[in-house]
Amino acid sequence: MTGATMPRRRPACPRRGVVPLPLLLLLRLGAVLLLLLLLTPAPAASSAPGTTTTDTITAAAPLAGNRTLVSAGRGTFVLGFFAPEGGAEGRTYLGIWFNRIPERTVVWVANRGSPVLGPAAGAALRVLPNGSLAVAGGDGAVVWATPPPPVPSSSAASGDAIGAAANATAQLLEDGNLVLRVPGAGVVWQSFDHPTDTLLPGMKLGVDLRAGLDRHLTSWRAPGDPSPGEYTFRLDPRGSPELFLYRRSARTYGSGPWNGLQFSGVPNLRSAALLTFRFVSKPGTEAFYSYGLADDGAAVLTRFVVDPSGQVRRLVWIDTTRSWSLFWSYPLDECDGYRACGPYGVCSVDRSPICGCAPGFDPRFPAEWALRDGSGGCRRRTELNCTAGDGFATLANMKLPESANATVDMSLGLDGCRRACLGNCACRAYASANVSSPGAPGCFMWTGDLLDMRQFSNGGQDLFVRLAASDLPLSTSSAETNSKTARVVVIIVPSVVGLLLLLVGVCICVKKVKKRRKEATPLPSRNAQSTPFRRRNQIAASSDAQDDSLHNGQGNNKDCDLRSFDVEKIQAATDNFSIHNKIGQGGFGPVYMGKLDNGQDIAVKRLSRRSTQGLREFKNEVKLIAKLQHRNLVRLLGCCIDGSERMLVYEYMHNRSLNTFLFNEERQSMLSWEKRFNIINGIARGILYLHQDSALRIIHRDLKASNILLDRDMNPKISDFGVARIFGTDQTAAYTKKVVGTYGYMSPEYAMDGVFSTKSDVFSFGVLVLEIVSGKKNRGFYHNELDLNLLRYAWRLWRDGQSLEFIDPSIADTSNAMEVLKCIQIGLLCVQEQPKRRPTMSAVTTMLTSESPTLPEPCEPAFSTGRNHHDDDEEDDGEEDPEAKACRSDSASSWTVTVVEGR
Ligand SMILES: *[C@@H]1O[C@H](CO)[C@@H](O)[C@H](O)[C@H]1NC(C)=O
Ligand SMILES: *[C@@H]1O[C@H](CO)[C@@H](O)[C@H](O)[C@H]1NC(C)=O
Ligand SMILES: *[C@@H]1O[C@H](CO)[C@@H](O)[C@H](O)[C@H]1NC(C)=O
Ligand SMILES: *[C@@H]1O[C@H](CO)[C@@H](O)[C@H](O)[C@H]1NC(C)=O
Ligand SMILES: *[C@@H]1O[C@H](CO)[C@@H](O)[C@H](O)[C@H]1NC(C)=O
Ligand SMILES: *[C@@H]1O[C@H](CO)[C@@H](O)[C@H](O)[C@H]1NC(C)=O
């Protein structure tokens, strides 16, 4: 494998650059699997003692709707009837799910398109007299059946054949496969040949031409609806087989061809630790991808699923957290969009715009290209001269082009491959078809246009693109023509010119690199400092690191221009601002979700038309804000201006906002303390970046749970930052009061006097922390006995040493008490009445990350929400202690430092 572990080209942020992404992923995989092995309890072989479970049904013993089959052995899988959670009432499906885990995770559905109408008790799975396996409803009507088995050739007499079929048995195997056997004919049907949305270990994704099978995955329509959805993941067996994701019939993502080690478009996925990948391609016979677990990992539960939102994901069950952990999901970024940059275009997220041309090529439609639409692709500068002088330019770290028309020759080495390509006038490029060990034979040759290429910053492989002699880059052409040195002597003048050009080029390059370094170094990486958290949760931390490196890649792109979206594109993406796509209504206007042509999910904020700014100011402002990049800020992708209409386009956050989890009784429990602490930390880092580390020094002014969005891994991202700037609210004070800020989160000085500072954000942050810990809304919280708001309630409990009562009951037993208490105290410090007493965000992040910080005693919080605090001063104890007096005094010097005890 060349270059897989060598960071190239980009002198990346040194802290991150040391450990390349694939290695991180491998480490992560290894760590998780090891952890799993250590933590997986001894398999509950007799999972249901007492009851006589069976794994087989026959004509005589059908499966009634209220019973289930459990696979023999470890009892990993269950077959039975179910009604999906959150689905339509009264629809029953026959499915297979994991037996030993609490949340029912369905991996296969028989009658996904034709549910039994009515309760499960009425349904049944039977073996029919003609040997087909059928699902019948309460009225006996068959809603789903396998084709009847073919007559076994051994029993020529027809009477016998029918008898044998009637003796068919269906068995649920330990690997999750439901097989139908006929005596004398073996397995005549199996569920593994008809996957739904999930690929389990041992299942094959691909085609078997002899059996006429095309095993592919189709997503559920929605999480509660197993009927076939929009997305299909399927193998195209032509040329060098490649997996494609389709939305309806349109391709949205291609994996790249298999290169002996992995799919070339997914360089960070390859067999590792206990997971092994297998790819078989026998032209004319079969081609498939499958994966398995090594013997010692057989107890690990893992699945590979196409979800209704069009993501291909691998998940692994973690017993300790009782949840599915996401290993990876694809497509990942814009460059994963199918044919993102057209023929001969090369996509790279490390540059802006993301599309570039292969060497020797120029944009075909320069005007569109300038508008960031690269789909038209590139055109060859000089046509190839088949007979003489053609050579190859080397593109490193590549996802190989789409290969349906590629020629594969596994006997040719790389040199032979090159000669074969030169000898074929139609050949456009070649590459190694087996990179699993250096020098292994294997040759891909492309004769059509080169499509769907991307370049990685590391990983990927070399691609050799054929060019006319005049277009060859200097380095390769000199290597190319070393046998023809005589020619070089004749043309001294051009080479001198070339040398000069080269010198100038080198100078410019050196300058650029220097400049880039300069720009890159002052960019502080807060995340890298948060090492204590890393120790606590190795898995979460390494996924953090992965995110970081991705973000740094984008962050280094300092001169990135703002992307401008056509209004037509936005309309198409959001279904013309359909009400169904509306996902929220913020202070500045409604928010819609949408999907771009390339499959990328976006959120579009349609700004209300009250902005006080002119067009140019607006653009400048948006440009500035787009430069704010931090892993805890929602990324602004661009804007769209159409007449007086102004829209901001953001990356879409799949888990919506914090309030949809925090204040929802059902979903509350999905936020473990670990996750909540991660969220608190992330918000703090995001605000710190806005307050201190960004060029703009932004005060958010409207921090609240609904403005904290969550990505797929529940990492928090602050949204709506900087929008206040766009609206120029400083100039229109009345407007400020109306729109910016939300009762319950506003600091008293801001709510009452309109005075805001970074300390008003600190106040809102404090409210958020207390809400996250308690799972209760500040606004709307009402304690009937004491007439307290959430902040005062928290403070009372804290003062009385009963803070543990404040914790959300749904996390009470899983939480780390010291950490929770620390957060409560930090929250209380942030909501103190006097801004001066509140810590700065940098102090907050320090407190959060130190293992046992010494924190000051908080004063009683402000009453928030705009009530006049002076009217409300009575203490119900009547007496005033010296601490309270100190809090009342105006001096900020009383930052007493005390050691936290585990109250
Ligand atoms: C299932 O239902 C049938 C009648 O519909 C009943 O006789 C049987 O006991 C039930 N079995 C279980 C396991 O509940
Ligand atoms: C198999 O038998 C069932 C009932 O006996 C019948 O409804 C079904 O049509 C038969 N299938 C075929 C293909 O003959
Ligand atoms: C089907 O099973 C019955 C009972 O086990 C047996 O008597 C019969 O011979 C079997 N039929 C065939 C064709 O195997
Ligand atoms: C290719 O190059 C040779 C020599 O430079 C020239 O004679 C020939 O005409 C060229 N052929 C084409 C198709 O351009
Ligand atoms: C493969 O060849 C066919 C027929 O020439 C063409 O229509 C198709 O676009 C080609 N596909 C690719 C990926 O080049
Ligand atoms: C790739 O090369 C390795 C090592 O030489 C070999 O074991 C493997 O079989 C090759 N793969 C294919 C598909 O030829």
Side-chain angles (χ1 to χ4, degrees):
M1 250 311 287
T2 52
T5 52
M6 266 196 300
R8 277 186 71 261
R9 278 156 29 91
R10 187 161 50 88
C13 168
R15 256 187 299 246
R16 292 287 165 216
V18 179
V19 188
L21 185 59
L23 199 60
L24 271 175
L25 277 173
L26 288 189
L27 285 176
R28 184 179 175 206
L29 194 87
V32 171
L33 291 178
L34 228 118
L35 208 76
L36 278 170
L37 274 188
L38 295 177
L39 298 176
T40 311
S46 52
S47 60
T51 62
T52 50
T53 55
T54 169
D55 64 350
T56 306
I57 65 169
T58 60
L63 181 72
N66 59 1
R67 280 184 51 233
T68 55
L69 297 186
V70 176
S71 61
R74 287 197 192 82
T76 306
F77 290 97
V78 187
L79 171 81
F81 289 93
F82 72 101
E85 223 165 281
E89 287 277 314
R91 283 163 188 256
T92 297
Y93 299 87
L94 176 74
I96 296 174
W97 58 91
F98 289 100
N99 185 23
R100 287 182 286 134
I101 63 176
E103 85 187 72
R104 180 164 62 208
T105 309
V106 175
V107 298
W108 183 76
V109 182
N111 52 331
R112 63 187 307 193
S114 49
V116 172
L117 301 176
L125 176 68
R126 322 171 178 282
V127 176
L128 300 179
N130 53 14
S132 89
L133 185 66
V135 173
D139 53 0
V142 170
V143 297
W144 175 89
T146 65
V151 177
S153 52
S154 59
S155 43
S158 62
D160 259 14
I162 288 169
N167 280 359
T169 57
Q171 185 184 16
L172 178 64
L173 303 182
E174 175 56 20
D175 58 2
N177 195 3
L178 175 65
V179 298
L180 181 65
R181 287 199 186 88
V182 169
V187 173
V188 294
W189 180 92
Q190 55 181 334
S191 66
F192 270 22
D193 284 340
H194 306 274
T196 51
D197 68 335
T198 303
L199 196 72
L200 292 171
M203 284 174 84
K204 293 172 178 177
L205 181 59
V207 297
D208 184 338
L209 297 171
R210 294 158 307 179
L213 290 170
D214 176 6
R215 309 179 195 93
H216 57 269
L217 306 178
T218 302
S219 68
W220 285 26
R221 175 158 303 198
D225 181 359
S227 61
E230 286 191 330
Y231 291 93
T232 301
F233 197 51
R234 146 182 277 157
L235 187 97
D236 179 349
R238 294 173 298 162
S240 175
E242 182 175 351
L243 292 166
F244 288 101
L245 183 66
Y246 294 80
R247 182 181 189 179
R248 302 201 191 91
S249 59
R251 287 183 177 173
T252 61
Y253 165 70
S255 68
W258 182 266
N259 64 15
L261 196 60
Q262 62 213 161
F263 288 105
S264 86
V266 204
N268 45 24
L269 294 186
R270 52 168 118 151
S271 298
L274 305 176
L275 221 46
T276 53
F277 299 156
R278 192 167 159 224
F279 184 80
V280 170
S281 172
K282 294 181 198 145
T285 318
E286 62 175 347
F288 65 84
Y289 162 81
S290 77
Y291 68 95
L293 290 160
D295 293 342
D296 44 353
V300 175
L301 304 184
T302 175
R303 64 199 170 103
F304 173 111
V305 62
V306 180
D307 75 10
S309 67
Q311 287 278 314
V312 183
R313 308 168 136 204
R314 175 178 297 289
L315 301 121
V316 171
W317 178 257
I318 309 285
D319 246 348
T320 41
T321 62
R322 321 231 90 199
S323 62
W324 287 101
S325 161
L326 180 66
F327 259 42
W328 50 256
S329 72
Y330 279 88
L332 204 60
D333 54 35
E334 288 176 90
C335 283
D336 275 339
Y338 181 61
R339 295 186 181 177
C341 295
Y344 301 101
V346 179
C347 195
S348 166
V349 289
D350 291 341
R351 65 172 165 237
S352 174
I354 55 174
C355 285
C357 286
F361 289 80
D362 293 318
R364 181 175 292 275
F365 306 110
E368 278 83 353
W369 198 269
L371 294 173
R372 307 278 183 272
D373 175 6
S375 57
C378 305
R379 186 163 49 186
R380 200 177 279 282
R381 234 170 262 156
T382 314
E383 280 311 312
L384 294 174
N385 178 335
C386 180
T387 50
D390 287 356
F392 293 94
T394 308
L395 277 71
N397 300 102
M398 293 294 287
K399 168 186 180 180
L400 297 180
E402 207 177 321
S403 49
N405 293 345
T407 314
V408 189
D409 186 337
M410 293 312 287
S411 65
L412 280 179
L414 210 53
D415 279 338
C417 197
R418 173 198 199 88
R419 280 193 295 273
C421 188
L422 271 181
N424 176 356
C425 283
C427 181
R428 297 284 176 266
Y430 73 93
S432 165
N434 188 355
V435 298
S436 67
S437 67
C443 169
F444 283 138
M445 283 181 287
W446 287 267
T447 49
D449 284 346
L450 305 182
L451 288 155
D452 203 31
M453 290 186 284
R454 69 175 292 180
Q455 190 161 36
F456 299 101
S457 45
N458 49 52
Q461 72 182 91
D462 287 347
L463 172 73
F464 305 92
V465 176
R466 183 180 194 154
L467 294 178
S470 56
D471 289 342
L472 285 173
L474 285 173
S475 57
T476 37
S477 69
S478 62
E480 193 64 31
T481 51
N482 55 1
S483 55
K484 307 164 192 165
T485 34
R487 273 218 323 231
V488 178
V489 183
V490 184
I491 23 175
I492 296 167
V493 180
S495 65
V496 167
V497 170
L499 222 113
L500 275 176
L501 280 177
L502 189 72
L503 268 175
V504 170
V506 167
C507 278
I508 289 171
C509 265
V510 168
K511 253 191 184 166
K512 261 198 176 158
V513 167
K514 268 191 184 163
K515 197 173 155 202
R516 213 176 244 211
R517 287 227 172 107
K518 241 187 205 165
E519 281 172 350
T521 36
L523 213 138
S525 176
R526 285 277 150 196
N527 321 317
Q529 293 169 6
S530 61
T531 39
F533 186 61
R534 175 163 306 242
R535 251 177 281 133
R536 186 165 20 256
N537 187 338
Q538 207 185 348
I539 302 165
S542 46
S543 82
D544 281 359
Q546 174 197 353
D547 285 356
D548 274 358
S549 56
L550 291 175
H551 269 257
N552 283 349
Q554 286 150 355
N556 280 351
N557 244 326
K558 294 286 271 192
D559 43 14
C560 121
D561 250 348
L562 187 69
R563 190 163 159 200
S564 192
F565 290 84
D566 284 343
V567 71
E568 287 84 18
K569 208 167 181 180
I570 298 291
Q571 277 171 341
T574 58
D575 223 347
N576 202 11
F577 302 107
S578 143
I579 189 82
H580 301 295
N581 282 7
K582 186 166 164 180
I583 50 176
Q585 172 77 44
F588 300 101
V591 185
Y592 299 86
M593 69 170 290
K595 197 172 205 91
L596 296 178
D597 301 340
N598 64 7
Q600 187 184 12
D601 291 318
I602 53 169
V604 180
K605 180 160 218 139
R606 210 171 177 184
L607 298 179
S608 46
R609 296 176 191 206
R610 289 176 289 180
S611 167
T612 53
Q613 279 188 335
L615 186 64
R616 222 168 118 169
E617 290 164 274
F618 172 78
K619 273 190 180 164
N620 285 338
E621 202 66 47
V622 173
K623 250 182 215 171
L624 278 176
I625 288 163
K627 283 199 178 142
L628 295 180
Q629 295 206 358
H630 186 273
R631 51 168 312 197
N632 296 113
L633 302 181
V634 173
R635 199 150 72 89
L636 182 65
L637 300 174
C639 66
C640 168
I641 301 166
D642 181 49
S644 64
E645 181 102 71
R646 287 158 198 200
M647 287 172 267
L648 297 175
V649 180
Y650 294 92
E651 61 180 331
Y652 178 69
M653 290 291 127
H654 288 80
N655 274 322
R656 300 283 183 91
S657 58
L658 179 59
N659 60 334
T660 60
F661 284 89
L662 202 53
F663 306 133
N664 177 306
E665 267 177 6
E666 279 173 21
R667 292 191 216 153
Q668 224 165 25
S669 57
M670 290 166 69
L671 288 180
S672 61
W673 172 249
E674 203 98 57
K675 282 187 180 135
R676 292 187 198 207
F677 189 64
N678 181 33
I679 289 170
I680 291 173
N681 268 295
I683 301 170
R685 288 192 296 250
I687 303 174
L688 176 65
Y689 176 79
L690 290 176
H691 283 182
Q692 265 187 16
D693 300 335
S694 71
L696 298 180
R697 305 218 157 200
I698 281 182
I699 300 171
H700 188 293
R701 287 191 244 174
D702 197 12
L703 287 166
K704 53 181 171 183
S706 59
N707 273 341
I708 306 299
L709 308 188
L710 298 171
D711 71 6
R712 290 179 199 279
D713 300 325
M714 290 289 184
N715 291 311
K717 299 201 182 221
I718 299 170
S719 74
D720 255 9
F721 56 91
V723 184
R725 262 184 82 112
I726 291 179
F727 273 76
T729 42
D730 305 55
Q731 298 91 22
T732 51
Y735 186 58
T736 303
K737 279 203 175 130
K738 235 190 207 160
V739 174
V740 180
T742 303
Y743 283 112
Y745 293 92
M746 264 190 270
S747 61
E749 77 276 8
Y750 179 33
M752 281 178 291
D753 306 329
V755 177
F756 57 81
S757 65
T758 52
K759 293 297 182 70
S760 11
D761 276 358
V762 171
F763 183 94
S764 311
F765 172 75
V767 176
L768 264 171
V769 170
L770 294 175
E771 288 185 334
I772 291 170
V773 172
S774 66
K776 295 186 181 72
K777 254 186 200 160
N778 182 31
R779 187 168 168 75
F781 174 82
Y782 182 72
H783 193 292
N784 16 0
E785 282 163 50
L786 298 172
D787 184 24
L788 296 172
N789 69 15
L790 185 71
L791 308 188
R792 270 186 102 190
Y793 178 59
W795 191 78
R796 286 287 173 88
L797 290 175
W798 181 83
R799 187 192 60 183
D800 300 343
Q802 297 173 327
S803 276
L804 288 174
E805 281 180 29
F806 187 67
I807 304 174
D808 184 348
S810 69
I811 56 165
D813 42 5
T814 57
S815 40
N816 173 340
M818 284 303 287
E819 220 170 59
V820 177
L821 292 175
K822 181 172 81 175
C823 285
I824 293 177
Q825 194 168 356
I826 292 172
L828 286 171
L829 285 169
C830 292
V831 297
Q832 294 178 98
E833 183 171 352
Q834 293 193 24
K836 272 186 248 170
R837 289 186 175 278
R838 298 175 205 148
T840 60
M841 280 321 288
S842 68
V844 168
T845 48
T846 311
M847 293 184 222
L848 280 171
T849 49
S850 355
E851 210 63 62
S852 52
T854 51
L855 303 181
E857 295 282 317
C859 292
E860 183 158 13
F863 297 136
S864 89
T865 70
R867 273 160 79 199
N868 189 338
H869 51 289
H870 295 298
D871 304 343
D872 223 324
D873 257 349
E874 11 70 275
E875 274 280 312
D876 38 13
D877 305 330
E879 51 175 44
E880 187 167 305
D881 55 280
E883 248 173 49
K885 210 171 216 167
C887 287
R888 211 165 287 273
S889 86
D890 208 35
S891 79
S893 60
S894 58
W895 261 70
T896 49
V897 174
T898 49
V899 178
V900 188
E901 298 147 2
R903 301 191 185 219

